[in-house]
Amino acid sequence: MTASLVFVLNGPNLNRLGSREPEIYGSETLENVADLVSREADSLGLAVDFRQTNDEGELIGWIHEAVDRGADVVLNPAAFTHYSYAVRDACAMVTTSGAKLIEIHLSNPATREEFRHTSVVAGVATGTIAGFGSGSYLLALRALAR
Ligand code: DQA
């Protein structure tokens, strides 16, 4: 049986994890997170494609690719969470296609500045996991593997 494919996609500034506001995001780098994700995926029998971009258009292109390949998506939209209707519309294509999309965050945006309390993605996501650091990624994989 072929392992089911999951795109793990990361939005802007997440390539700076480790040095970016460590009091909020912790000291792990994105490379550390990718390693943890890869190990968890192996143990769950999932095939993972892990990517990061600072570019909205590139992220949308990857979401389209996930739809075309029938992949589930774990998405940390980063700041796009709060204002990108274009990312939201792309995410809606994932969930209306019958695949799953889990919105994740390292921090818990609900406890932070007011502008972070709105997610334009949440309404089209299968579910949301926030506040567990890199554990948010691993919990999302477990939810998809169930
Ligand atoms: C984030 C939360 C967002 O508000 C922020 O813009 C990020 C990271 C998180 O993972 O906690 O860049 O998505």
Side-chain angles (χ1 to χ4, degrees):
M1 207 181 84
T2 46
S4 51
L5 178 62
V6 181
F7 277 27
V8 180
L9 304 179
N10 295 279
N13 301 307
L14 293 170
N15 55 320
R16 309 295 285 192
L17 283 183
S19 59
R20 174 191 179 200
E21 299 179 89
E23 64 289 356
I24 295 171
Y25 298 115
S27 57
E28 283 171 314
T29 64
L30 193 63
E31 207 175 27
N32 298 147
V33 176
D35 280 350
L36 292 170
V37 162
S38 163
R39 271 188 265 146
E40 186 75 10
D42 283 351
S43 76
L44 293 168
L46 300 171
V48 157
D49 194 334
F50 190 99
R51 305 180 192 180
Q52 187 276 332
T53 182
N54 294 320
D55 184 279
E56 188 177 16
E58 185 168 40
L59 180 60
I60 290 166
W62 290 346
I63 297 168
H64 294 171
E65 187 185 334
V67 172
D68 292 343
R69 295 176 65 184
D72 290 323
V73 178
V74 172
L75 174 64
N76 186 343
F80 292 147
T81 307
H82 312 301
Y83 68 90
S84 175
Y85 297 123
V87 169
R88 176 200 162 97
D89 286 351
C91 292
M93 288 185 231
V94 176
T95 45
T96 58
S97 78
K100 294 193 169 102
L101 181 138
I102 304 187
E103 175 189 344
I104 59 158
H105 300 282
L106 295 147
S107 68
N108 181 357
T111 64
R112 300 179 60 197
E113 304 97 313
E114 190 81 31
F115 76 90
R116 296 186 204 275
H117 298 182
T118 298
S119 166
V120 300
V121 171
V124 295
T126 309
T128 302
I129 299 170
F132 298 97
S134 56
S136 295
Y137 289 76
L138 308 183
L139 289 167
L141 290 181
R142 281 182 214 167
L144 290 177
R146 290 185 71 201

